[in-house]
């Protein structure tokens, strides 16, 4: 087994795939379904056992997130990477995208740095079904992808955001953690409070 006798520091589950980073060196392994390149190996072949993501070799990964169609990673220096499908058909049969943050609907077969977050020290990421969140060291939160239901938190309609955009509504609070679901998003503040936004049914408001 590829992970036998290897201490794992980060372990996350996407919709149909899994990601793990070793504790000592931060090397990333992925396994599971790979129909949308979410494993980061440059192919669409499923992996039944953990396989090293060679494109991240030499980068100490400290945070991971797995969505339905994509994956996210953060290096020890705060650099954020994404890979997977650049677009997907929404349940309403419309095409949506943007959750990779690369300003395109093109698939990203291998982990790629999100240029729009250059200069931002990212400490945590969250991957929803069709959107992504990133938390900066200074507490700022960025969101990108499909904005239907208001899950991006920008109060600017329900369109798509192709690159990470800072959620200004959170600028006056101190965010400590983030989470992304299928139709909503959440964050916890450093004082213990929890804030939610997005689809009212997912938030228990329906």
């Amino acid at each position: 087994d590829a992970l036998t006798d290897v201490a794992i520091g980060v372990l996350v589950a996407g919709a149909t795939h899994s990601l793990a980073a070793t504790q000592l060196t931060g090397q990333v392994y992925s396994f599971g379904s790979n129909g949308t390149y979410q494993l980061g190996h440059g192919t669409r072949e499923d992996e039944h056992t953990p396989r090293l993501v060679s494109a991240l070799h030499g980068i100490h990964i400290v945070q991971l997130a797995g969505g339905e169609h994509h994956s996210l990673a953060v290096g020890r220096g705060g650099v954020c990477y994404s890979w997977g499908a650049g677009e997907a058909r929404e349940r309403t049969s419309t095409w949506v995208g943007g959750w990779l943050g690369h300003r395109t609907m093109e698939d990203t077969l291998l982990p790629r740095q999100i240029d729009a977050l250059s200069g931002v020290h990212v400490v945590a990421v969250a991957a929803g079904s069709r959107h992504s969140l990133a938390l900066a060291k200074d507490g700022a939160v960025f969101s990108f992808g499909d904005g239907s239901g208001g899950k991006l938190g920008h109060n600017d309609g329900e369109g798509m955001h192709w690159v990470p955009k800072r959620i200004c509504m959170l600028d006056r609070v101190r965010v400590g953690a983030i989470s992304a679901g299928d139709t909503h998003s959440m964050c916890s503040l450093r004082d213990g409070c929890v804030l939610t936004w997005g689809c009212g049914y997912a938030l228990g408001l329906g």
Side-chain angles (χ1 to χ4, degrees), residues 119-142:
V120 177
H121 189 119
V122 177
V123 295
V125 285
S129 174
R130 291 168 174 80
H131 75 295
S132 301
L133 302 175
L135 173 63
K137 187 176 182 179
D138 64 3
V141 179
F142 297 80

Side-chain angles (χ1 to χ4, degrees), residues 94-112:
T94 58
W95 287 92
V96 295
W99 45 80
L100 297 182
H102 300 309
R103 207 185 298 271
T104 178
M105 293 184 83
E106 294 290 328
D107 296 337
T108 299
L109 280 60
L110 299 170
R112 174 183 169 188

Side-chain angles (χ1 to χ4, degrees), residues 11-44:
L11 183 67
V12 300
T16 58
H17 72 294
S18 302
L19 303 167
T22 62
Q23 189 173 50
L24 184 62
T25 61
Q27 295 300 284
V28 176
Y29 292 81
S30 63
F31 49 105
S33 176
N34 195 31
T36 57
Y37 304 104
Q38 65 265 48
L39 297 186
H41 302 302
T43 73
R44 294 179 64 183

Side-chain angles (χ1 to χ4, degrees), residues 63-128:
Q63 290 288 329
L64 291 164
E68 182 176 355
H69 306 283
H70 70 300
S71 301
L72 302 168
V74 180
R76 186 157 53 180
V79 176
C80 190
Y81 305 85
S82 68
W83 62 95
E87 62 179 352
R89 191 181 295 276
E90 184 54 277
R91 292 169 181 81
T92 57
S93 295
T94 58
W95 287 92
V96 295
W99 45 80
L100 297 182
H102 300 309
R103 207 185 298 271
T104 178
M105 293 184 83
E106 294 290 328
D107 296 337
T108 299
L109 280 60
L110 299 170
R112 174 183 169 188
Q113 181 179 343
I114 301 177
D115 292 336
L117 289 173
S118 295
V120 177
H121 189 119
V122 177
V123 295
V125 285

Side-chain angles (χ1 to χ4, degrees), residues 133-136 138-143 151-155 165-179 185-190 193-197:
L133 302 175
L135 173 63
D138 64 3
V141 179
F142 297 80
S143 65
K151 58 183 174 283
L152 295 186
H154 299 302
N155 196 30
K165 179 180 178 180
R166 185 170 181 150
I167 303 177
C168 297
M169 300 290 287
L170 296 175
D171 281 350
R172 295 184 179 181
V173 296
R174 301 183 66 191
V175 176
I178 53 175
S179 183
S185 302
M186 303 191 300
C187 71
S188 64
L189 308 185
R190 295 178 184 177
C193 293
V194 174
L195 303 179
T196 63
W197 61 96

